[in-house]
Amino acid sequence: MLPADQIRTVMHDQFQAGFLEVTEFRGMTTIHVKGKIVLETLRMLKSDPRFACNFLADLTAVDHLEKGGHARFSVVYHLLNQHDGLRIVLQAWVDEELPVLDSANELWRTADWQEREVYDLFGIRFTGHPDLRRILNPDDFKYHPLRKDYPLEGRGERSDFPVVARTVGSKWSDRGRTFE
Amino acid sequence: MTLEAQQLSTDKMVLNFGPSHPATHGTLRILMELDGERITAVTPEIGYLHSGFEKLGEHLDYNQYITITDRMNYLSPLCNNVAYALAVERLLDLEVPKRAQYIRVLMCEFSRIADHLLCIGMQAVDVGAFTAFLYGFRMREKIYDLFELVCGSRLTTSYTRVGGMMRDMTDESISLALRLLDEIPGSLDEIDKLLSHNRIWLDRTRGVTPISPDQAISYGLTGPLARAAGVEYDIREKEPYSSYADFDFDVIIGKEGDVYDRYMVRLYECWESLKICRQVIEKMPEGPVNIDSDSKAILPPMDEVFNSIEGLIYHFEVTMENRGFEPAVGDSYVPTESPNGELGFYIVSDGRREPYRVRTRTPSLINYSIFQEVMPGNMISDTVAVLGSMNIIAGELDR
């Protein structure tokens, strides 16, 4: 794997406008790019022999509402070169107004479920995804709970939850539906 | 197929497997489209055990979250504790003493044995081999006795702390560990003799859902599933953490990636874990298990807190709001080899006492995504064999 300053040069030469920066923290190199070039960058990291990241270890997102950053959301790709055991992180930044990215499903099939999870929890959409549905929350759930503006207690889901009363007239029966 | 059978019109039937089914070991649901007894399509539905652990982590401080990690993979909670502690320690740039690293390795390897024994046993009982399940469970209970002696709890261990361990291992627990190292091979042998050459077991497992190495890499498979498929990757060997480089062990690789290979990889990994455990106990260094409490990153020992003013002040510094404890701004990720595969915590810090984001990269979720790819074409009765061999833990799957 290349050192950080060389990665910076490579990235800058290849994607002038879309490339943001390369950071290093505690031995972990992170490439920051704009969301619109994420698929090209991933394809480059996978096929370029200088990186040869053949394995997508993890795909997740971070909401930077309180922390600040290049945009509101960053989608984080943990890539691994299994031959040398080297890792690199790619962060693709997307705005709040149009949180849409290209799906990495064509490069790695593991992106399928992980992108569904990011969509479910953050509301970031992936174009080209074969089946973008919620994965953890129920299909009729309205919010994206890992966003920072969603409260820990939820928005009334708990109190509005339909309770099936087991015995009519018991102390719980007034809270939910009763079956006559 | 005879001519009449071809002319008979057949409808596809949809079978609902779960959410509560004895073979799911947790709550997960599979919608199976069947043509007779053959599966034509499966749709796994997950999320029944979604507990919002990642959201909760943003509201708990670094040490409080350790108790939550127990509840993810509840069959090997010590591995989760260690993976989380390592990620936080990388964020805070702490290096725990050698003894703590060795104890972590020892506990991880014992959990791996317990997890694999349970997985093999469950897989066996799901396809009808009850005795192997009992052999596995008996030894697992004994390993849990060791956990109870070491950390006071069998299941929700919470043994690690940021910067060290909850407490040191005593001579008594080390001698129990040594005794277990003599007893476990017997159990493994019993399971090996009972299953590995058993005609029925071979028929049920061999050639069922083979996975190719390319498929395994594309689907992000890790752990025994990937190694059974022939992917030679073990994080303990390639990216050693917590002093794994000091120990000598072999990485077990399968060939076909079918259910039988997964079983064999798990069984032989138990032998390798025993090898590691023995080396850990032989090489176990003396010394403290926690970093110095002056670093203001770790809670001082209880008796210091209760009996000395410095201990009390340090305790306050760590636990009180707006005091001392300030992690660096940044993010960290430490991959670890949990019994099911790569387990890592991606922690983002904005300098506050609570992490800004705690993402858990769980092997169960990512390994399970290949299920819908490999199942079509198999029989209904293979479902339980495949589910058992994947060792999907619902707590880790949904978090």
Side-chain angles (χ1 to χ4, degrees), chain A residues 31-85:
Chain A
I31 304 175
H32 299 261
V33 296
K34 286 184 185 162
K36 60 178 187 290
I37 63 154
V38 63
L39 193 59
E40 291 97 276
T41 317
L42 284 171
R43 200 175 281 133
M44 193 272 281
L45 291 172
K46 188 180 179 185
S47 56
D48 192 321
R50 288 172 293 186
F51 300 99
C53 296
N54 64 329
F55 192 81
L56 177 63
D58 190 21
L59 194 167
T60 184
V62 181
D63 179 0
H64 291 266
L65 183 68
E66 292 160 11
K67 188 170 180 279
H70 297 286
R72 165 110 190 237
F73 299 108
S74 70
V75 177
V76 187
Y77 300 81
H78 288 262
L79 298 163
L80 164 66
N81 173 339
Q82 282 189 322
H83 188 261
D84 303 324

Short mmCIF file of all heavy atoms in Angstrom, two decimals, chain A residues 31-85:
data_model
loop_
_atom_site.label_atom_id
_atom_site.label_comp_id
_atom_site.label_asym_id
_atom_site.label_seq_id
_atom_site.Cartn_x
_atom_site.Cartn_y
_atom_site.Cartn_z
N ILE A 31 -9.28 8.04 2.90
CA ILE A 31 -9.41 8.88 1.72
C ILE A 31 -10.80 9.49 1.75
O ILE A 31 -11.78 8.78 1.91
CB ILE A 31 -9.24 8.05 0.42
CG1 ILE A 31 -7.90 7.32 0.41
CG2 ILE A 31 -9.36 8.94 -0.80
CD1 ILE A 31 -7.73 6.39 -0.77
N HIS A 32 -10.87 10.81 1.62
CA HIS A 32 -12.17 11.48 1.60
C HIS A 32 -12.47 11.92 0.17
O HIS A 32 -11.64 12.58 -0.44
CB HIS A 32 -12.15 12.71 2.50
CG HIS A 32 -11.88 12.37 3.94
ND1 HIS A 32 -12.85 12.26 4.88
CD2 HIS A 32 -10.73 12.10 4.59
CE1 HIS A 32 -12.32 11.95 6.06
NE2 HIS A 32 -11.03 11.84 5.90
N VAL A 33 -13.64 11.54 -0.31
CA VAL A 33 -14.04 11.96 -1.66
C VAL A 33 -15.48 12.47 -1.62
O VAL A 33 -16.21 12.22 -0.66
CB VAL A 33 -13.95 10.81 -2.70
CG1 VAL A 33 -12.53 10.34 -2.86
CG2 VAL A 33 -14.86 9.67 -2.33
N LYS A 34 -15.84 13.18 -2.68
CA LYS A 34 -17.25 13.58 -2.82
C LYS A 34 -18.06 12.38 -3.27
O LYS A 34 -17.56 11.53 -4.00
CB LYS A 34 -17.36 14.72 -3.85
CG LYS A 34 -16.87 16.04 -3.29
CD LYS A 34 -17.09 17.16 -4.29
CE LYS A 34 -16.46 18.43 -3.75
NZ LYS A 34 -16.25 19.44 -4.82
N GLY A 35 -19.32 12.38 -2.87
CA GLY A 35 -20.16 11.21 -3.11
C GLY A 35 -20.28 10.81 -4.57
O GLY A 35 -20.41 9.64 -4.88
N LYS A 36 -20.21 11.78 -5.47
CA LYS A 36 -20.52 11.43 -6.86
C LYS A 36 -19.44 10.59 -7.53
O LYS A 36 -19.70 9.93 -8.53
CB LYS A 36 -20.83 12.69 -7.67
CG LYS A 36 -19.74 13.72 -7.74
CD LYS A 36 -20.19 14.87 -8.64
CE LYS A 36 -19.10 15.89 -8.90
NZ LYS A 36 -18.72 16.69 -7.75
N ILE A 37 -18.21 10.58 -6.98
CA ILE A 37 -17.18 9.76 -7.62
C ILE A 37 -16.90 8.49 -6.83
O ILE A 37 -15.88 7.83 -7.04
CB ILE A 37 -15.86 10.54 -7.83
CG1 ILE A 37 -15.26 10.96 -6.49
CG2 ILE A 37 -16.07 11.73 -8.73
CD1 ILE A 37 -13.77 11.15 -6.58
N VAL A 38 -17.80 8.11 -5.92
CA VAL A 38 -17.47 6.99 -5.03
C VAL A 38 -17.26 5.70 -5.81
O VAL A 38 -16.34 4.93 -5.52
CB VAL A 38 -18.52 6.85 -3.92
CG1 VAL A 38 -19.88 6.50 -4.47
CG2 VAL A 38 -18.11 5.80 -2.92
N LEU A 39 -18.09 5.46 -6.80
CA LEU A 39 -18.00 4.18 -7.50
C LEU A 39 -16.69 4.08 -8.30
O LEU A 39 -16.02 3.05 -8.29
CB LEU A 39 -19.21 3.98 -8.42
CG LEU A 39 -19.40 2.58 -8.96
CD1 LEU A 39 -19.54 1.58 -7.84
CD2 LEU A 39 -20.62 2.52 -9.86
N GLU A 40 -16.30 5.19 -8.95
CA GLU A 40 -15.03 5.18 -9.68
C GLU A 40 -13.86 4.95 -8.72
O GLU A 40 -12.93 4.21 -9.02
CB GLU A 40 -14.80 6.50 -10.43
CG GLU A 40 -15.71 6.74 -11.61
CD GLU A 40 -16.89 7.62 -11.23
OE1 GLU A 40 -17.89 7.08 -10.70
OE2 GLU A 40 -16.81 8.84 -11.42
N THR A 41 -13.92 5.61 -7.57
CA THR A 41 -12.83 5.45 -6.61
C THR A 41 -12.75 4.01 -6.11
O THR A 41 -11.66 3.43 -6.03
CB THR A 41 -13.04 6.40 -5.42
OG1 THR A 41 -13.46 7.65 -5.90
CG2 THR A 41 -11.76 6.55 -4.62
N LEU A 42 -13.90 3.44 -5.79
CA LEU A 42 -13.91 2.05 -5.32
C LEU A 42 -13.36 1.13 -6.40
O LEU A 42 -12.58 0.22 -6.11
CB LEU A 42 -15.32 1.62 -4.94
CG LEU A 42 -15.86 2.15 -3.62
CD1 LEU A 42 -17.33 1.83 -3.50
CD2 LEU A 42 -15.11 1.56 -2.45
N ARG A 43 -13.77 1.40 -7.65
CA ARG A 43 -13.32 0.55 -8.74
C ARG A 43 -11.80 0.67 -8.89
O ARG A 43 -11.10 -0.33 -9.07
CB ARG A 43 -14.03 0.97 -10.03
CG ARG A 43 -14.01 -0.12 -11.09
CD ARG A 43 -14.82 0.28 -12.29
NE ARG A 43 -16.24 0.12 -12.10
CZ ARG A 43 -17.15 1.03 -12.41
NH1 ARG A 43 -16.77 2.19 -12.91
NH2 ARG A 43 -18.43 0.80 -12.23
N MET A 44 -11.30 1.88 -8.73
CA MET A 44 -9.86 2.09 -8.84
C MET A 44 -9.14 1.37 -7.70
O MET A 44 -8.15 0.65 -7.93
CB MET A 44 -9.60 3.60 -8.79
CG MET A 44 -8.20 4.04 -9.19
SD MET A 44 -7.05 4.05 -7.83
CE MET A 44 -7.48 5.57 -6.98
N LEU A 45 -9.65 1.51 -6.48
CA LEU A 45 -8.98 0.87 -5.34
C LEU A 45 -9.01 -0.65 -5.48
O LEU A 45 -8.12 -1.34 -4.99
CB LEU A 45 -9.66 1.28 -4.03
CG LEU A 45 -9.48 2.74 -3.61
CD1 LEU A 45 -10.35 3.04 -2.40
CD2 LEU A 45 -8.03 3.02 -3.27
N LYS A 46 -10.05 -1.16 -6.14
CA LYS A 46 -10.14 -2.61 -6.28
C LYS A 46 -9.21 -3.12 -7.37
O LYS A 46 -8.53 -4.13 -7.19
CB LYS A 46 -11.58 -3.01 -6.61
CG LYS A 46 -11.79 -4.50 -6.56
CD LYS A 46 -13.23 -4.89 -6.90
CE LYS A 46 -13.37 -6.41 -6.88
NZ LYS A 46 -14.70 -6.84 -7.29
N SER A 47 -9.13 -2.39 -8.49
CA SER A 47 -8.40 -2.94 -9.63
C SER A 47 -6.96 -2.45 -9.72
O SER A 47 -6.11 -3.15 -10.26
CB SER A 47 -9.15 -2.60 -10.92
OG SER A 47 -9.31 -1.20 -11.01
N ASP A 48 -6.66 -1.27 -9.20
CA ASP A 48 -5.29 -0.75 -9.29
C ASP A 48 -4.35 -1.65 -8.49
O ASP A 48 -4.56 -1.87 -7.30
CB ASP A 48 -5.27 0.68 -8.72
CG ASP A 48 -3.97 1.39 -9.05
OD1 ASP A 48 -2.92 0.74 -8.99
OD2 ASP A 48 -4.02 2.59 -9.36
N PRO A 49 -3.28 -2.18 -9.11
CA PRO A 49 -2.40 -3.09 -8.37
C PRO A 49 -1.67 -2.43 -7.20
O PRO A 49 -1.18 -3.13 -6.32
CB PRO A 49 -1.41 -3.57 -9.45
CG PRO A 49 -1.54 -2.61 -10.56
CD PRO A 49 -2.91 -2.05 -10.52
N ARG A 50 -1.60 -1.11 -7.19
CA ARG A 50 -0.96 -0.46 -6.05
C ARG A 50 -1.82 -0.54 -4.79
O ARG A 50 -1.34 -0.43 -3.68
CB ARG A 50 -0.68 1.01 -6.37
CG ARG A 50 0.46 1.19 -7.36
CD ARG A 50 0.56 2.62 -7.79
NE ARG A 50 -0.62 3.03 -8.57
CZ ARG A 50 -0.72 4.20 -9.17
NH1 ARG A 50 0.23 5.09 -9.03
NH2 ARG A 50 -1.80 4.51 -9.86
N PHE A 51 -3.11 -0.71 -4.96
CA PHE A 51 -4.00 -0.86 -3.79
C PHE A 51 -4.49 -2.31 -3.70
O PHE A 51 -4.33 -2.94 -2.67
CB PHE A 51 -5.18 0.09 -3.88
CG PHE A 51 -4.79 1.54 -3.93
CD1 PHE A 51 -4.73 2.23 -5.12
CD2 PHE A 51 -4.48 2.20 -2.76
CE1 PHE A 51 -4.37 3.57 -5.15
CE2 PHE A 51 -4.11 3.55 -2.78
CZ PHE A 51 -4.06 4.22 -3.98
N ALA A 52 -5.07 -2.79 -4.78
CA ALA A 52 -5.56 -4.17 -4.87
C ALA A 52 -6.42 -4.57 -3.68
O ALA A 52 -6.23 -5.63 -3.08
CB ALA A 52 -4.40 -5.15 -5.06
N CYS A 53 -7.35 -3.71 -3.32
CA CYS A 53 -8.25 -4.03 -2.20
C CYS A 53 -9.34 -4.94 -2.74
O CYS A 53 -10.29 -4.49 -3.36
CB CYS A 53 -8.86 -2.76 -1.63
SG CYS A 53 -7.63 -1.67 -0.93
N ASN A 54 -9.20 -6.23 -2.47
CA ASN A 54 -10.14 -7.17 -3.05
C ASN A 54 -11.34 -7.42 -2.16
O ASN A 54 -12.27 -8.11 -2.57
CB ASN A 54 -9.44 -8.51 -3.33
CG ASN A 54 -8.95 -9.17 -2.06
OD1 ASN A 54 -8.61 -8.49 -1.10
ND2 ASN A 54 -8.94 -10.48 -2.06
N PHE A 55 -11.35 -6.88 -0.96
CA PHE A 55 -12.36 -7.27 0.02
C PHE A 55 -12.98 -6.02 0.63
O PHE A 55 -12.26 -5.12 1.10
CB PHE A 55 -11.66 -8.10 1.11
CG PHE A 55 -12.58 -8.81 2.04
CD1 PHE A 55 -13.16 -10.01 1.67
CD2 PHE A 55 -12.85 -8.31 3.30
CE1 PHE A 55 -14.01 -10.69 2.53
CE2 PHE A 55 -13.70 -8.98 4.16
CZ PHE A 55 -14.27 -10.18 3.78
N LEU A 56 -14.31 -5.95 0.59
CA LEU A 56 -15.01 -4.87 1.28
C LEU A 56 -15.38 -5.37 2.67
O LEU A 56 -16.29 -6.18 2.82
CB LEU A 56 -16.26 -4.46 0.49
CG LEU A 56 -17.14 -3.40 1.12
CD1 LEU A 56 -16.41 -2.08 1.25
CD2 LEU A 56 -18.40 -3.18 0.32
N ALA A 57 -14.64 -4.92 3.66
CA ALA A 57 -14.85 -5.47 5.00
C ALA A 57 -16.08 -4.88 5.67
O ALA A 57 -16.79 -5.58 6.38
CB ALA A 57 -13.62 -5.22 5.86
N ASP A 58 -16.33 -3.61 5.44
CA ASP A 58 -17.44 -2.99 6.16
C ASP A 58 -17.91 -1.77 5.38
O ASP A 58 -17.13 -1.10 4.72
CB ASP A 58 -16.98 -2.57 7.56
CG ASP A 58 -18.13 -2.14 8.42
OD1 ASP A 58 -19.27 -2.52 8.10
OD2 ASP A 58 -17.92 -1.43 9.42
N LEU A 59 -19.20 -1.53 5.47
CA LEU A 59 -19.80 -0.37 4.82
C LEU A 59 -20.76 0.23 5.82
O LEU A 59 -21.68 -0.44 6.29
CB LEU A 59 -20.53 -0.82 3.56
CG LEU A 59 -20.98 0.19 2.51
CD1 LEU A 59 -21.38 -0.53 1.27
CD2 LEU A 59 -22.11 1.05 2.98
N THR A 60 -20.53 1.46 6.19
CA THR A 60 -21.42 2.08 7.16
C THR A 60 -21.47 3.58 6.89
O THR A 60 -20.92 4.05 5.91
CB THR A 60 -20.96 1.77 8.60
OG1 THR A 60 -21.91 2.30 9.51
CG2 THR A 60 -19.61 2.37 8.89
N ALA A 61 -22.16 4.30 7.73
CA ALA A 61 -22.27 5.74 7.52
C ALA A 61 -22.16 6.46 8.86
O ALA A 61 -22.34 5.85 9.91
CB ALA A 61 -23.60 6.08 6.85
N VAL A 62 -21.84 7.73 8.79
CA VAL A 62 -21.78 8.57 9.98
C VAL A 62 -22.54 9.85 9.66
O VAL A 62 -22.41 10.39 8.57
CB VAL A 62 -20.32 8.91 10.36
CG1 VAL A 62 -20.27 9.76 11.61
CG2 VAL A 62 -19.50 7.65 10.56
N ASP A 63 -23.37 10.28 10.62
CA ASP A 63 -24.09 11.55 10.47
C ASP A 63 -23.25 12.63 11.16
O ASP A 63 -23.05 12.58 12.36
CB ASP A 63 -25.46 11.40 11.13
CG ASP A 63 -26.26 12.67 11.05
OD1 ASP A 63 -25.75 13.65 10.48
OD2 ASP A 63 -27.41 12.69 11.53
N HIS A 64 -22.78 13.60 10.38
CA HIS A 64 -21.89 14.62 10.94
C HIS A 64 -22.63 15.88 11.35
O HIS A 64 -22.04 16.96 11.36
CB HIS A 64 -20.79 14.95 9.94
CG HIS A 64 -19.83 13.82 9.75
ND1 HIS A 64 -18.66 13.71 10.44
CD2 HIS A 64 -19.89 12.71 9.00
CE1 HIS A 64 -18.03 12.61 10.09
NE2 HIS A 64 -18.76 11.97 9.22
N LEU A 65 -23.89 15.75 11.69
CA LEU A 65 -24.70 16.93 12.03
C LEU A 65 -24.07 17.76 13.15
O LEU A 65 -23.97 18.97 13.06
CB LEU A 65 -26.10 16.46 12.44
CG LEU A 65 -27.11 17.56 12.77
CD1 LEU A 65 -27.45 18.32 11.51
CD2 LEU A 65 -28.37 16.97 13.36
N GLU A 66 -23.63 17.10 14.22
CA GLU A 66 -23.08 17.83 15.37
C GLU A 66 -21.57 17.99 15.27
O GLU A 66 -20.99 18.90 15.85
CB GLU A 66 -23.42 17.08 16.66
CG GLU A 66 -24.89 17.09 16.99
CD GLU A 66 -25.27 15.98 17.94
OE1 GLU A 66 -24.37 15.34 18.51
OE2 GLU A 66 -26.49 15.75 18.11
N LYS A 67 -20.92 17.08 14.56
CA LYS A 67 -19.47 17.06 14.55
C LYS A 67 -18.91 17.98 13.47
O LYS A 67 -17.87 18.60 13.65
CB LYS A 67 -19.01 15.61 14.30
CG LYS A 67 -17.54 15.37 14.44
CD LYS A 67 -17.30 13.86 14.40
CE LYS A 67 -15.83 13.52 14.54
NZ LYS A 67 -15.12 13.65 13.28
N GLY A 68 -19.59 18.09 12.37
CA GLY A 68 -19.10 18.89 11.26
C GLY A 68 -18.17 18.10 10.37
O GLY A 68 -17.55 17.15 10.80
N GLY A 69 -18.11 18.52 9.12
CA GLY A 69 -17.25 17.82 8.16
C GLY A 69 -17.48 18.42 6.79
O GLY A 69 -17.99 19.54 6.67
N HIS A 70 -17.14 17.68 5.76
CA HIS A 70 -17.30 18.19 4.41
C HIS A 70 -18.76 18.29 4.01
O HIS A 70 -19.12 19.06 3.14
CB HIS A 70 -16.57 17.28 3.42
CG HIS A 70 -15.10 17.25 3.65
ND1 HIS A 70 -14.27 18.30 3.32
CD2 HIS A 70 -14.30 16.31 4.20
CE1 HIS A 70 -13.02 17.98 3.65
NE2 HIS A 70 -13.01 16.79 4.18
N ALA A 71 -19.61 17.44 4.60
CA ALA A 71 -21.05 17.46 4.29
C ALA A 71 -21.76 16.82 5.49
O ALA A 71 -21.13 16.49 6.49
CB ALA A 71 -21.33 16.70 3.01
N ARG A 72 -23.07 16.63 5.36
CA ARG A 72 -23.79 16.08 6.50
C ARG A 72 -23.44 14.61 6.75
O ARG A 72 -23.18 14.20 7.88
CB ARG A 72 -25.30 16.20 6.26
CG ARG A 72 -26.16 15.36 7.18
CD ARG A 72 -26.94 16.16 8.16
NE ARG A 72 -27.54 15.29 9.16
CZ ARG A 72 -28.84 15.25 9.42
NH1 ARG A 72 -29.67 16.03 8.78
NH2 ARG A 72 -29.31 14.46 10.37
N PHE A 73 -23.47 13.79 5.70
CA PHE A 73 -23.23 12.36 5.90
C PHE A 73 -21.93 11.94 5.24
O PHE A 73 -21.54 12.47 4.20
CB PHE A 73 -24.36 11.53 5.27
CG PHE A 73 -25.70 11.79 5.85
CD1 PHE A 73 -26.65 12.49 5.12
CD2 PHE A 73 -26.01 11.36 7.12
CE1 PHE A 73 -27.90 12.74 5.65
CE2 PHE A 73 -27.26 11.60 7.65
CZ PHE A 73 -28.20 12.29 6.92
N SER A 74 -21.29 10.96 5.85
CA SER A 74 -20.22 10.29 5.12
C SER A 74 -20.50 8.80 5.16
O SER A 74 -20.87 8.25 6.19
CB SER A 74 -18.86 10.59 5.75
OG SER A 74 -18.72 9.96 6.98
N VAL A 75 -20.38 8.17 4.01
CA VAL A 75 -20.52 6.71 3.94
C VAL A 75 -19.10 6.15 3.96
O VAL A 75 -18.23 6.60 3.23
CB VAL A 75 -21.29 6.29 2.68
CG1 VAL A 75 -21.35 4.78 2.58
CG2 VAL A 75 -22.69 6.84 2.73
N VAL A 76 -18.87 5.21 4.89
CA VAL A 76 -17.51 4.77 5.18
C VAL A 76 -17.33 3.35 4.65
O VAL A 76 -18.08 2.45 4.99
CB VAL A 76 -17.26 4.79 6.71
CG1 VAL A 76 -15.80 4.50 7.00
CG2 VAL A 76 -17.65 6.12 7.29
N TYR A 77 -16.33 3.17 3.79
CA TYR A 77 -16.03 1.86 3.22
C TYR A 77 -14.70 1.41 3.81
O TYR A 77 -13.69 2.07 3.63
CB TYR A 77 -15.90 1.94 1.70
CG TYR A 77 -17.14 2.42 0.98
CD1 TYR A 77 -17.43 3.77 0.89
CD2 TYR A 77 -18.02 1.52 0.38
CE1 TYR A 77 -18.56 4.21 0.23
CE2 TYR A 77 -19.14 1.96 -0.29
CZ TYR A 77 -19.41 3.30 -0.36
OH TYR A 77 -20.54 3.75 -1.00
N HIS A 78 -14.70 0.28 4.50
CA HIS A 78 -13.44 -0.30 5.00
C HIS A 78 -12.98 -1.34 3.99
O HIS A 78 -13.62 -2.37 3.83
CB HIS A 78 -13.66 -0.97 6.35
CG HIS A 78 -13.86 0.00 7.45
ND1 HIS A 78 -12.86 0.38 8.30
CD2 HIS A 78 -14.95 0.68 7.84
CE1 HIS A 78 -13.33 1.27 9.16
NE2 HIS A 78 -14.60 1.46 8.91
N LEU A 79 -11.87 -1.05 3.33
CA LEU A 79 -11.39 -1.95 2.30
C LEU A 79 -10.15 -2.68 2.80
O LEU A 79 -9.37 -2.14 3.58
CB LEU A 79 -11.04 -1.16 1.03
CG LEU A 79 -12.21 -0.43 0.41
CD1 LEU A 79 -11.73 0.62 -0.54
CD2 LEU A 79 -13.11 -1.41 -0.30
N LEU A 80 -10.02 -3.90 2.33
CA LEU A 80 -8.91 -4.73 2.80
C LEU A 80 -8.23 -5.37 1.61
O LEU A 80 -8.89 -5.86 0.69
CB LEU A 80 -9.46 -5.81 3.76
CG LEU A 80 -8.58 -7.00 4.09
CD1 LEU A 80 -7.37 -6.56 4.89
CD2 LEU A 80 -9.37 -8.02 4.88
N ASN A 81 -6.92 -5.34 1.62
CA ASN A 81 -6.12 -6.08 0.66
C ASN A 81 -5.73 -7.38 1.34
O ASN A 81 -4.88 -7.39 2.22
CB ASN A 81 -4.90 -5.23 0.29
CG ASN A 81 -3.92 -5.96 -0.59
OD1 ASN A 81 -3.90 -7.18 -0.64
ND2 ASN A 81 -3.10 -5.21 -1.27
N GLN A 82 -6.39 -8.47 0.97
CA GLN A 82 -6.18 -9.71 1.72
C GLN A 82 -4.82 -10.32 1.47
O GLN A 82 -4.34 -11.12 2.25
CB GLN A 82 -7.28 -10.72 1.37
CG GLN A 82 -8.57 -10.42 2.07
CD GLN A 82 -9.58 -11.52 1.90
OE1 GLN A 82 -9.69 -12.11 0.85
NE2 GLN A 82 -10.35 -11.78 2.94
N HIS A 83 -4.19 -9.93 0.38
CA HIS A 83 -2.87 -10.50 0.09
C HIS A 83 -1.84 -10.00 1.09
O HIS A 83 -1.04 -10.77 1.62
CB HIS A 83 -2.46 -10.15 -1.34
CG HIS A 83 -1.22 -10.84 -1.77
ND1 HIS A 83 0.01 -10.22 -1.74
CD2 HIS A 83 -1.01 -12.11 -2.20
CE1 HIS A 83 0.93 -11.09 -2.16
NE2 HIS A 83 0.33 -12.23 -2.43
N ASP A 84 -1.86 -8.70 1.36
CA ASP A 84 -0.88 -8.14 2.28
C ASP A 84 -1.44 -7.86 3.66
O ASP A 84 -0.70 -7.47 4.56
CB ASP A 84 -0.33 -6.82 1.70
CG ASP A 84 0.27 -7.02 0.32
OD1 ASP A 84 0.87 -8.07 0.11
OD2 ASP A 84 0.13 -6.13 -0.52
N GLY A 85 -2.75 -8.01 3.83
CA GLY A 85 -3.34 -7.70 5.13
C GLY A 85 -3.33 -6.22 5.43
O GLY A 85 -3.10 -5.81 6.56
#
